[in-house]
Amino acid sequence: MSTLLGIFIFIIPIFLLFIKSGRSTENLPPGSLGIPFFGQSLSLLQAMRANTAEKWIEQRVQKYGTISKLTLFGKSTVFICGQAANKLVFTSDGNILSNQQTQSIRMILGDRNLLELSGPDHKRVREALISFLKPEPLKLYVGKMSEEVMLHMDTHWKGKEEVKVLPLMKTLTFNIICSLLFGVERGIRREKLVNWFQEMIEGMWAIPMNMPFTTYNRSLRANKRAQILIKELISEKKSEIEQNTGDSYQDLITSMLSKHDKQNGEAISEKEIIHNVLLVMTAGHDTSSILITFMVRLFANEPSIYKAVLQEQEDIAKSKQSGESLTWDDLGKMKYTWRVALETLRMYPPVFGGFRTAVKDIEYNGYLIPKGWQVFWVTSMTHNDDKVFPEPFKFDPSRFENQAAIPPYCFIPFGAGSRICPGYEFAKIETLVTMHYLVTRFTWELCADNNFCRVPMPVPTKGLPVKITPRK
């Protein structure tokens, strides 16, 4: 009797969770929600670490089609894929799909960052970011970025026989972000920030169990420390503005402090600045470092691609005096190098996918996406679609000679529509400047296999160690 009572007590909460999650709702997409709270989270995370996440998704599509239900990271979820799905995700306003991310991402990056906002708030904060990150202001920073990259090469590459590319690229991109975007000089404060930042990122796709010794718990603690430091930076920038010693374009924080909505004079709040600084740090640090790392990996495997990029970059180098920085005009000549970068992003997108939340019941492809459910989309589904990109697993930069020919909402490494990444131009400059100095100063060969996993971004085996040789 006691055994039956125990089973009954155990089953009832699970039954209630199933009802709460919406299992009784009619016309739901096919699929299973799995075990409450956990669902398919562990299975997906395991596939990502084993570099079989795309296969995991493809098997799901083969079984259920382009829409199905599951449970991810504690929430009932509908997975959708394809061009129409991407369009729904990137064009829906806050009255249909909100940008609410998973609990782990939201708790780490904050609820007032650009990924979370919609409507007038999204427009106001986005415009504040773009005012600093658009091409015109960024032209002023090409020289500074060149100096930062050359210093990095002299410090971490020159005189070395072997280096690990990914950790060094993370160091480089973080230093560029600190110098150009936030005005944080080299020293103890920057070193602390980079350590906390790495701990934060590790928990963004973790199961949100805030218990001691979990990845999620460590990320939250690192987030608190990072926010305290960012508050100190904001206070310093405010003082400089009040004393008329701070140029509004000297860094992103100062620029955001100086912005007010033109219609109602509403300023960007301190909370919004903090949360968007965390977002920009995440987007600008990991995505660019991974793109550059996979380009280095590619050049070691594809000599013809490397040779063509080298020729383009050498032609530019020949027009410069020794030690002279690159200019905005030089970047405009790097057309083939950027096509290589775009094809790398197509095949190895740093962002695996993302989440939205249904604000109301949505009818999609004949099925119901219930209000409050999570919507999950995956980048690779259109990137690897042979109807969009013939022979999708062949590396072919010529696909991007005419980008207008690519159907809309099919190539989405930076998002699309009004949700396209505001840091797109910054990432482009960062990538082209870095690749110029890498290929003109060094040659390399791989010291490890070509394998990589996702944690959640793609990470090559052992950080991609390479044996380097200086070019004459």
Side-chain angles (χ1 to χ4, degrees), residues 169-177 284-285 288-289 292 430:
M169 289 304 102
K170 285 179 178 288
T171 298
L172 172 60
T173 55
F174 192 82
N175 282 333
I176 289 173
I177 288 171
H285 171 263
S288 294
S289 62
I292 295 166
E430 192 174 37

Side-chain angles (χ1 to χ4, degrees), residues 263-281:
Q263 291 184 341
N264 57 28
E266 186 178 356
I268 308 299
S269 69
E270 181 179 273
K271 185 177 182 181
E272 287 170 339
I273 293 175
I274 292 170
H275 290 181
N276 283 284
V277 164
L278 293 174
L279 173 63
V280 170
M281 286 171 65

Side-chain angles (χ1 to χ4, degrees), residues 154-415:
D154 289 339
T155 304
H156 298 285
W157 291 68
K158 188 176 180 180
K160 306 291 193 301
E161 293 183 359
E162 184 178 315
V163 298
K164 288 187 177 182
V165 179
L166 182 57
L168 288 184
M169 289 304 102
K170 285 179 178 288
T171 298
L172 172 60
T173 55
F174 192 82
N175 282 333
I176 289 173
I177 288 171
C178 284
S179 295
L180 274 64
L181 296 189
F182 306 127
V184 182
E185 300 301 325
R186 283 183 172 80
I188 295 175
R189 187 155 66 169
R190 188 188 288 192
E191 291 171 4
K192 286 181 178 179
L193 190 58
V194 70
N195 292 331
W196 296 333
F197 179 65
Q198 291 290 353
E199 290 181 3
M200 278 170 44
I201 290 177
E202 290 173 5
M204 286 176 56
W205 275 53
I207 294 174
M209 297 181 66
N210 190 10
M211 300 172 63
F213 310 114
T214 63
T215 300
Y216 182 61
N217 178 267
R218 287 196 304 272
S219 295
L220 290 178
R221 285 188 278 118
N223 172 272
K224 288 181 180 179
R225 297 187 186 104
Q227 288 204 35
I228 292 171
L229 195 153
I230 295 169
K231 284 181 180 179
E232 291 176 1
L233 285 173
I234 293 172
S235 179
E236 292 170 11
K237 306 298 180 185
K238 281 182 178 177
S239 296
E240 291 175 5
I241 292 173
E242 290 169 0
Q243 296 168 18
N244 294 319
T245 59
D247 178 3
S248 63
Y249 283 109
Q250 71 182 29
D251 58 65
L252 182 60
I253 294 177
T254 304
S255 177
M256 294 185 76
L257 283 169
S258 305
K259 296 300 173 186
H260 291 76
D261 187 277
K262 293 180 180 178
Q263 291 184 341
N264 57 28
E266 186 178 356
I268 308 299
S269 69
E270 181 179 273
K271 185 177 182 181
E272 287 170 339
I273 293 175
I274 292 170
H275 290 181
N276 283 284
V277 164
L278 293 174
L279 173 63
V280 170
M281 286 171 65
T282 303
H285 171 263
D286 259 17
T287 53
S288 294
S289 62
I290 287 168
L291 168 58
I292 295 166
T293 298
F294 273 80
M295 289 179 73
V296 170
R297 175 179 177 266
L298 166 77
F299 293 157
N301 293 322
E302 300 282 352
S304 61
I305 302 288
Y306 167 76
K307 185 177 180 180
V309 169
L310 177 61
Q311 183 63 58
E312 182 175 78
Q313 297 300 336
E314 280 192 321
D315 289 345
I316 295 168
K318 288 173 183 175
S319 68
K320 315 296 292 183
Q321 298 292 327
S322 178
E324 184 182 356
S325 295
L326 292 170
T327 66
W328 180 260
D329 290 339
D330 293 327
L331 301 187
K333 301 172 184 176
M334 302 182 186
K335 292 180 172 58
Y336 182 77
T337 305
W338 186 238
R339 290 201 294 269
V340 171
L342 293 175
E343 178 70 343
T344 304
L345 285 168
R346 184 191 69 80
M347 295 189 70
Y348 310 104
V351 178
F352 178 73
F355 297 89
R356 299 288 190 269
T357 299
V359 175
K360 61 181 181 181
D361 287 351
I362 302 169
E363 186 178 338
Y364 178 81
N365 269 16
Y367 293 103
L368 175 70
I369 302 176
K371 176 182 177 180
W373 279 40
Q374 201 165 238
V375 176
F376 175 47
W377 56 273
V378 174
T379 308
S380 63
M381 295 310 294
T382 50
H383 286 201
N384 296 337
D385 187 342
D386 58 8
K387 297 182 183 65
V388 180
F389 298 104
E391 297 183 86
F393 300 105
K394 175 185 177 182
F395 194 92
D396 183 8
S398 68
R399 302 180 199 274
F400 294 94
E401 288 178 356
N402 180 15
Q403 291 190 55
I406 299 172
Y409 303 103
C410 288
F411 180 62
I412 53 170
F414 295 101

Side-chain angles (χ1 to χ4, degrees), residues 31-167:
S32 168
L33 293 177
I35 301 171
F37 187 78
F38 292 98
Q40 290 78 11
S41 305
L42 296 175
S43 175
L44 175 59
L45 290 173
Q46 184 179 17
M48 292 175 76
R49 293 190 183 99
N51 192 25
T52 57
E54 281 81 4
K55 185 177 180 180
W56 189 93
I57 293 293
E58 287 168 6
Q59 289 174 342
R60 183 168 195 87
V61 172
Q62 289 172 6
K63 186 174 182 179
Y64 299 117
T66 57
I67 178 171
S68 60
K69 67 176 180 289
L70 68 164
T71 300
L72 287 177
F73 310 113
K75 290 196 69 175
S76 300
T77 304
V78 172
F79 165 69
I80 57 176
C81 67
Q83 182 184 17
N86 293 343
K87 185 176 181 180
L88 174 68
V89 167
F90 292 116
T91 61
S92 295
D93 60 26
N95 297 319
I96 299 174
L97 288 177
S98 77
N99 288 329
Q100 193 176 68
Q101 303 296 300
T102 63
Q103 181 181 340
S104 53
I105 294 176
R106 189 166 62 255
M107 290 299 292
I108 291 167
L109 293 184
D111 59 4
R112 299 299 296 176
N113 74 70
L114 204 61
L115 294 180
E116 296 285 330
L117 299 175
S118 59
D121 284 339
H122 177 268
K123 182 180 179 181
R124 175 173 52 84
V125 174
R126 181 181 175 82
E127 286 179 352
L129 288 170
I130 288 179
S131 68
F132 184 85
L133 294 172
K134 62 186 178 182
E136 285 303 317
L138 290 178
K139 288 180 181 180
L140 306 173
Y141 294 98
V142 176
K144 288 185 178 180
M145 199 176 290
S146 295
E147 293 169 7
E148 195 74 46
V149 174
M150 285 190 284
L151 177 61
H152 173 85
M153 298 295 170
D154 289 339
T155 304
H156 298 285
W157 291 68
K158 188 176 180 180
K160 306 291 193 301
E161 293 183 359
E162 184 178 315
V163 298
K164 288 187 177 182
V165 179
L166 182 57

